[in-house]
Structures are given as C-alpha cells and as structure tokens.
Amino acid sequence: VDELQSGEETSFVVDEVSNIIKEAVESAIVGNAYQHSKVNQWTTNVVEQTLSQLTKLGKPFTYIMTCVIMQKNGAGLHRASSCFWDSSSDGNCTVRWENKTMYCIVSAFGLPI
Amino acid sequence: MTFNAEEAHNIVKDCIEKILSKADYSHDKVNQWTAAIVEQCLTHLVKLGKTYKYIVTCAVMQKSGAGLHTASSCFWDTTTDGTCTVRWENRTMNCVVNVFAIAIIL
C-alpha cells in the first residue's frame, strides 16, 4: 500500500519537459547567428543536454529527442510525426524557437518502461 | 527481439516514393504529404505484427540553399530498441524520415 501512494509519476508531464527543452536551447544557441561550422555541435548539445536533464528527473522512462536547426532564407519546412503507442501513459512535447537567422525545433517523446 | 532497420528502411523508402516522387515542392500540398508519409509508414510498420511502439517523424524542406541540421538522442534499451533514418530528395525538395521503435516488454 505504501508503494502505491509513493506519488511517483509515470505519465509524461509536458510542461516540465517543455521547460527543460527551452533551457537547453537557450544555453546552447541563444545569441548566435546561423553558422554552418557550428550547427552540428549545437544540435548535438541541445539533444544531449535535454536528455541528461530528463534522465536526472529519475522517472522510469525511455526518451527520444530530436532537434532540427534550419537557416532562415525563405525556404519552407514542414515536420510531421505519428506515433503508435499507449496514449494514456506515453507523451510528446515540441518546442519551436527562432531568432533572426535560424529556426530550431526540438521534439521529445517519453514512454514509461 | 531486435529492431530490423533494413526492413523499416525499405518500408519508409517505398512510402516516400509513392507520395513524393513525381511532385514539385508546393506550399499548399506539403502538409498533406508529410501527414500521409508518417501515417502510411506507421501503418506498414504496425502491419509487421511485431510487439513494438513506433514513433515516425518526417521533415520536408524546399530546396533553396538553406542549411538544415537534424540530431536525435535516445535513452532506451539498446538491445531491443532501434532507429532508422531515410533521406530522400528530388529536384525541388529534401525529405528526412526518422523511425524510432521501442520494444514492448510484457
């Protein structure tokens, strides 16, 4: 009975994840202009930082993070995702960010183990 | 049970070709295309009948010289879960589809 009342959440909390993503994006790319030589490093930093903050939450989840950074030059970009999972426990969260020279789209998917 | 990436790769490639191969980038239709690609890929993957949860993402970008970078990071069971990425292009657009498969442990 004690274990059931421990209060550990096993559902995906969108707001919490959204804040973690925003912090990671801000620390990795805010203040920078699109630079071909650095973008690889930025996308990697964003996904790795977000993933390590999410795992620090200590919840028994499997996580998938994706990050897209695109230079602004008038081109159109569309993203879609479709998931086959348990909609009562699994969840996702997408954060869109932009500055004068680039767009950044980060998606997080969480599935409890 | 391990994820068969090659099988998934073929499924995704066929879906993209069916939907985009004869088309030119069109702002009005792109929404429809990305939705159709993810839904069809998902349907075919589920039809394989394996006990997996799937996440399929698709990005379609107009070719105009802009740079695009994507990265993904996963915290999962590396023995049973897996991923597959298919990149495709034609004269007017680029398409990148990611499939993530997570085994369902019963």
Side-chain angles (χ1 to χ4, degrees):
Chain A
V1 169
D2 281 355
E3 277 171 330
L4 289 173
Q5 292 174 341
S6 69
E8 188 189 335
E9 276 182 68
T10 48
S11 62
F12 191 77
V13 181
V14 176
D15 291 334
E16 192 177 34
V17 176
S18 170
N19 288 332
I20 290 176
I21 295 176
K22 284 190 190 139
E23 278 171 24
V25 169
E26 273 161 22
S27 70
I29 56 182
V30 148
N32 288 307
Y34 182 88
Q35 251 176 283
H36 179 71
S37 53
K38 293 207 175 144
V39 178
N40 244 348
Q41 207 182 314
W42 291 337
T43 46
T44 309
N45 287 344
V46 169
V47 290
E48 281 178 8
Q49 220 177 310
T50 319
L51 203 57
S52 69
Q53 292 299 322
L54 286 171
T55 51
K56 275 195 197 148
L57 294 175
K59 296 184 182 177
F61 270 87
T62 292
Y63 292 106
I64 292 166
M65 296 290 318
T66 65
C67 170
V68 177
I69 292 183
M70 185 171 98
Q71 189 181 14
K72 274 190 177 180
N73 86 340
L77 172 73
H78 282 252
R79 267 182 69 83
S81 71
S82 196
C83 311
F84 178 70
W85 59 20
D86 180 346
S87 46
S88 55
S89 57
D90 306 334
N92 74 325
C93 164
T94 300
V95 173
R96 272 171 294 283
W97 180 94
E98 63 180 287
N99 69 7
K100 265 197 307 166
T101 53
M102 54 188 170
Y103 293 106
C104 177
I105 302 171
V106 182
S107 289
F109 301 90
L111 299 86
I113 297 172
Chain B
M1 170 172 64
T2 49
F3 178 61
N4 188 341
E6 209 186 307
E7 192 176 35
H9 194 274
N10 291 333
I11 288 173
V12 171
K13 206 152 149 273
D14 288 341
C15 285
I16 299 176
E17 274 170 12
K18 249 192 265 178
I19 293 168
L20 297 182
S21 62
K22 297 202 171 75
D24 281 340
Y25 182 88
S26 153
H27 177 72
D28 300 324
K29 297 204 177 143
V30 174
N31 248 346
Q32 217 179 308
W33 290 335
T34 48
I37 290 171
V38 291
E39 281 168 22
Q40 277 189 29
C41 289
L42 202 57
T43 313
H44 284 102
L45 288 166
V46 169
K47 275 203 194 138
L48 296 174
K50 301 189 177 167
T51 48
Y52 272 99
K53 289 184 180 180
Y54 295 102
I55 293 168
V56 181
T57 68
C58 168
V60 174
M61 186 172 95
Q62 189 180 16
K63 273 192 174 174
S64 72
L68 174 77
H69 281 253
T70 68
S72 68
S73 194
C74 310
F75 178 70
W76 59 22
D77 181 344
T78 48
T79 52
T80 54
D81 304 334
T83 176
C84 156
T85 302
V86 177
R87 273 170 289 282
W88 181 94
E89 63 181 291
N90 69 7
R91 227 175 23 105
T92 54
M93 53 188 169
N94 286 306
C95 175
V96 181
V97 177
N98 283 314
V99 175
F100 301 94
I102 292 108
I104 299 172
I105 316 287
L106 298 158

